[in-house]
Amino acid sequence: MMAGQKLEEKIGKRGRAAVVVLGDIGRSPRMQYHALSLARQASLEVDIVAYGGSDPHAAILENRSIRIHKMTQLQVPHGLPKMLYPVILLCKELTQFFMLLWFLCYKIPAPDVFIVQNPPSVPTLVAVKWASWLRHSAIIVDWHNFGYTLLGLSMGSSSPFVKVYRWFEKHYGKMADGSLCVTQAMQHELAQNWEIKATVLYDQPPDFFHPASLEERHELFCRLSKDISHPHGFRDFVSSGYKEMGGNVVNENIFTYQDDSDIRLKSGRPVLVVSSTSWTADEDFGMLLEAAVMYDRRISAILDKDDSKEDGMVSEVSHGEKDCIYPMLLFIITGKGPERQKYEEQIKRLLRRVASDYTVTKGPFLT
């Protein structure tokens, strides 16, 4: 994980490492894995500096070598004039910078190494570099994306703020003692255009991940049945199946049922597709929507169904549809973000067999 002999010489003197995330640690699985690896494999004491919000995995909370230090997350008021955005952004970055310095230089013991997630680059990389000077620590940057490109989505790539942001990101990124990245494409980009030599570290699930047993799947979908089966009042094959079950979410769901003491899979159960997304412009979720539309229209043509009517949401599943060679599809999409409402409206308009609720977006397609 550590790159270069110079970096290795700095690690281990204090027996400590700090993992820095200017975001919700519960939604940063890769940085959680870093913390676990440092604690378990390198036998280091690990301090995580991040925002609160979602709880990290129990393996993090139960590990006595890992401590989480939660910063206060700043909330920017909505509805302010657009002309004030640069001023608000500058004030937010300065506040985050001094907050980070306070935690990295005072609240936690001096570590051998800081491992920092990028983006966000500003003020994270700057604050971590200053802290490393003051505490004589090494820095490893884990490149997940480029911060300036994400900022360019909201401010425009030609904005002077984006250009300044890119300079800070490149300048302080090059000053790191080591770099990790998630793909070979990013490794090539960093080497060719940023003069940064990064090591590709692919994500691998930790040992607490395992294929769910049939009993675990049955318990999960019985627990989720009510949420999945009542998508904003629209009727689809999931809602119809829920009605046929008589609302029994204890012993039966759309995938499994309990027969005495045995748990069994249902025949004709749907195919489950799960995706997480931040609902931002850099994640082109339209590709999945386009594929879903193609699938929906093809099945409608095969079944000779007219979905052109505005009230064409399906409320019943006929015998012929159940016997169709194409499987039913259930999409469960999780995440929060600015473009979620836009895509929900497109889903409702384009897909007559799709429903959504405020917790997850589901795309159950009849076949």
Side-chain angles (χ1 to χ4, degrees), residues 149-185:
T149 59
L150 300 180
L151 182 63
L153 293 174
S154 59
M155 302 191 69
S157 58
S158 60
S159 170
F161 290 96
V162 175
K163 295 179 180 179
V164 171
Y165 195 104
R166 186 183 188 278
W167 183 89
F168 273 99
E169 186 171 22
K170 182 176 182 180
H171 178 74
Y172 281 92
K174 290 169 63 175
M175 298 174 73
D177 298 286
S179 292
L180 304 173
C181 60
V182 295
T183 63
Q184 290 185 355

Side-chain angles (χ1 to χ4, degrees), residues 50 100 190 200 259 281 317 347:
L100 271 172
L190 288 169
V200 177
D259 182 13
V317 183
I347 289 170

Side-chain angles (χ1 to χ4, degrees), residues 71-210:
M71 299 181 292
T72 302
Q73 190 164 6
L74 303 175
Q75 300 294 335
V76 178
H78 295 286
L80 294 177
K82 193 173 183 180
M83 62 180 298
L84 294 178
Y85 183 73
V87 177
I88 295 172
L89 181 63
L90 178 60
C91 293
K92 180 181 178 181
E93 303 293 353
L94 287 173
T95 305
Q96 289 176 332
F97 173 74
F98 288 112
M99 184 185 299
L100 271 172
L101 276 184
W102 171 257
F103 272 82
L104 301 182
C105 296
Y106 178 77
K107 294 286 287 184
I108 67 172
D112 294 312
V113 60
F114 290 103
I115 300 181
V116 55
Q117 173 183 301
N118 185 76
S121 315
V122 180
T124 318
L125 297 185
V126 183
V128 172
K129 184 58 186 177
W130 284 31
S132 72
W133 282 331
L134 294 171
R135 313 209 77 173
H136 307 287
S137 305
I139 302 175
I140 297 176
V141 178
D142 191 2
W143 296 81
H144 295 198
N145 207 327
F146 294 107
Y148 81 95
T149 59
L150 300 180
L151 182 63
L153 293 174
S154 59
M155 302 191 69
S157 58
S158 60
S159 170
F161 290 96
V162 175
K163 295 179 180 179
V164 171
Y165 195 104
R166 186 183 188 278
W167 183 89
F168 273 99
E169 186 171 22
K170 182 176 182 180
H171 178 74
Y172 281 92
K174 290 169 63 175
M175 298 174 73
D177 298 286
S179 292
L180 304 173
C181 60
V182 295
T183 63
Q184 290 185 355
M186 180 168 284
Q187 180 188 46
H188 179 78
E189 174 68 18
L190 288 169
Q192 294 296 316
N193 299 320
W194 292 61
E195 301 175 12
I196 294 174
K197 185 177 181 181
T199 300
V200 177
L201 182 64
Y202 293 114
D203 287 330
Q204 294 184 349
D207 53 13
F208 53 73
F209 275 96
H210 64 274

